[in-house]
Amino acid sequence: MTTPLNPVHAEIHPPVLPEVAAIAPAMLALRHDLHAHPELAYEEHRTGDIVAAKLAEWGYEVHRGLGDTGVVGTLRCGDSGKRLGLRADMDALPIRETTSLPYASRYDGKMHACGHDGHTATLLAAAQVLARRKDQLNGTLNLIFQPAEEGHGGAQKMVDQGLFDLFPCDALYAFHNEPGYPAGQFGFRAGVMYSSSDTAIITIRGKGGHGAMPHVAVDPIVVASHLVLALQTIRSREIDPNDMAVVSIGAIHAGDAPNVIPETCELRITIRARHPGVRELLRERITAMAHAQAAVHRATAEVEYKWRYPPVINDVAATDFAVGVAREFLGEEWLIPNLQPLQASDDFAIMLNAVPGNYFIVGNGMGEGGCMVHNAAYDFNDNLLPVTASYWVKLAEAYLRRD
């Protein structure tokens, strides 16, 4: 089930280009096919085959292999030196789907629970229309279909393997559907858009023993319990209240029996921040607290700190350009006012560190049908595909406009 477009304005429908409307049924069918056949990070072979075949059919130069399973389609138009990049992610998540949709995942334990099937289908719809409008463009259009966004560094791998050396871009754009916002509304902001995302795995090493004789053991669970509470004081007592930070312990693993004190206890932690200084402080203090708490209780701590994704930071000029296109094409009523930064993360941040650009959101729906991403009951809102594909076309045409 999908949410009707913009329940606040039930009688208003966002603009959709006639060329996009004409191919919308085929693109929706493609989206459902991708949803039914989800592929995890670096396994996007079938998806990549479909993307590459479509792009080649429409006249794009197709390059495969960056980031292992990534696909780049290039459309060269006219004699301008302007170069625009649009990006969509392709990978699914290791989640067992519970939607019971007719196009639900056919692969047990794999699911498009973040809408990357919709992102891919949307960019393909725009690609088809832009190929037909090639004579109206002047410059180079690079369509980047990225693998392994879900925590596996697909963007970094593509960049490391020469993405922007092979396909230079002067500006780069991408979008993410966002449940909890009215369906079809677009949200833009300059500066920090998404938080950083890092991971810490802390192993407390004590001394195992009988649960009835704790005095001759060193209990790592007690150490971990103190550490869980201590870590929360970093946010509440060491970081400016005006700055965002999150330290969440998502998993604790220790022991197998009620009467046995285990040798080790492992904590798995997700860490979020919006500013580089806060991000570094979190790493420093989490590491120091782990060692200090362990030492107080005669244990030791091993900290594996993984730098993952930096904050998504939108370029001011690129954002202003994107907002201008949206305001002209969609109208002010389809823009989310005063959008604040989100706590999610995305490795599009890696690409934006290399090329100025903008990452925006499109509301996926509120209430029923607006299930959050990374949830077994989630589904991309099909109503978003035509309007967002139309926006991609208008953005590309505005950027690569013939003078």
Side-chain angles (χ1 to χ4, degrees):
M1 178 178 180
T2 56
T3 304
L5 281 177
N6 202 334
V8 176
H9 305 288
E11 301 305 317
I12 298 177
H13 296 279
V16 172
L17 294 173
E19 297 95 324
V20 173
I23 64 170
M27 289 299 107
L28 292 178
L30 172 62
R31 205 283 287 184
H32 293 174
D33 178 74
L34 295 176
H35 189 92
H37 301 88
E39 296 174 304
L40 303 181
Y42 302 118
E43 297 177 0
E44 306 94 335
H45 301 290
R46 181 183 184 275
T47 304
D49 288 345
I50 291 172
V51 169
K54 294 289 186 185
L55 293 175
E57 176 187 343
W58 301 328
Y60 287 79
E61 301 171 25
V62 178
H63 181 98
R64 304 190 68 175
L66 285 178
D68 296 348
T69 47
V71 181
V72 180
T74 299
L75 193 66
R76 304 183 194 279
C77 316
D79 55 6
S80 168
K82 293 181 291 187
R83 303 163 300 185
L84 174 66
L86 305 179
R87 170 268 203 179
D89 37 19
M90 300 188 294
D91 57 321
L93 284 157
I95 294 175
R96 179 174 289 107
E97 183 166 354
T98 62
T99 65
S100 300
L101 291 164
Y103 51 86
S105 173
R106 298 180 184 177
Y107 305 148
D108 186 46
K110 299 180 183 181
M111 177 191 174
H112 270 297
C114 203
H116 297 184
D117 51 338
H119 302 168
T120 296
T122 297
L123 189 53
L124 283 175
Q128 184 174 359
V129 173
L130 285 165
R132 294 174 179 175
R133 294 185 170 197
K134 181 178 180 180
D135 292 344
Q136 300 179 34
L137 307 178
N138 192 14
T140 300
L141 176 65
N142 293 312
L143 304 184
I144 302 165
F145 293 84
Q146 180 205 312
E149 187 281 323
E150 296 289 358
H152 294 275
Q156 187 70 65
K157 183 172 282 192
M158 291 189 83
V159 171
D160 289 346
Q161 293 178 359
L163 173 63
F164 297 120
D165 296 322
L166 294 168
F167 308 99
C169 297
D170 303 310
L172 185 65
Y173 293 89
F175 89 97
H176 204 290
N177 76 94
E178 197 66 38
Y181 290 88
Q185 286 198 337
F186 285 57
F188 301 89
R189 66 171 286 114
V192 176
M193 178 67 173
Y194 276 15
S195 305
S196 63
S197 176
D198 301 311
T199 300
I201 299 177
I202 300 176
T203 303
I204 305 297
R205 193 169 300 279
K207 180 181 178 183
H210 198 295
M213 295 177 284
H215 61 292
V216 296
V218 176
D219 193 338
I221 295 178
V222 171
V223 180
S225 299
H226 281 275
L227 181 57
V228 167
L229 296 177
L231 290 175
Q232 301 312 307
T233 65
I234 301 174
R235 175 67 189 91
S236 66
R237 289 296 179 269
E238 300 192 37
I239 293 174
D240 188 324
N242 294 310
D243 292 329
M244 174 268 180
V246 171
V247 178
S248 292
I249 295 86
I252 300 177
H253 299 284
D256 296 300
N259 62 342
V260 177
I261 294 173
E263 188 81 14
T264 63
C265 180
E266 180 185 89
L267 286 75
R268 299 182 182 180
I269 308 170
T270 188
I271 303 111
R272 308 292 171 113
R274 290 180 186 155
H275 301 291
V278 174
R279 191 183 184 203
E280 176 59 38
L281 176 64
L282 288 167
R283 182 200 64 80
E284 175 188 329
R285 296 300 294 138
I286 288 170
T287 302
M289 280 190 172
H291 290 299
Q293 287 290 337
V296 165
H297 296 277
R298 299 177 294 121
T300 61
E302 301 163 8
V303 181
E304 181 184 0
Y305 207 96
K306 300 180 180 180
W307 294 104
R308 295 179 65 248
Y309 300 162
V312 172
I313 301 177
N314 287 329
D315 178 78
V316 174
T319 301
D320 288 345
F321 182 82
V323 171
V325 173
R327 185 171 284 122
E328 181 179 349
F329 175 60
L330 298 167
E332 196 70 37
E333 67 270 26
W334 290 99
L335 302 186
I336 299 170
N338 302 316
L339 181 67
Q340 297 302 304
L342 285 78
Q343 276 63 263
S345 65
D346 196 290
D347 72 349
F348 189 58
I350 304 295
M351 295 187 180
L352 289 182
N353 282 348
V355 177
N358 176 271
Y359 196 46
F360 62 94
I361 64 169
V362 181
N364 198 66
M366 303 172 70
E368 186 178 359
C371 176
M372 290 305 296
V373 295
H374 291 223
N375 185 301
Y378 165 86
D379 188 32
F380 180 85
N381 190 331
D382 282 332
N383 290 320
L384 308 188
L385 200 159
V387 62
T388 311
S390 297
Y391 175 76
W392 275 147
V393 172
K394 298 298 289 186
L395 181 77
E397 288 185 337
Y399 196 90
L400 301 175
R401 179 176 291 133
R402 289 187 176 274
D403 297 327

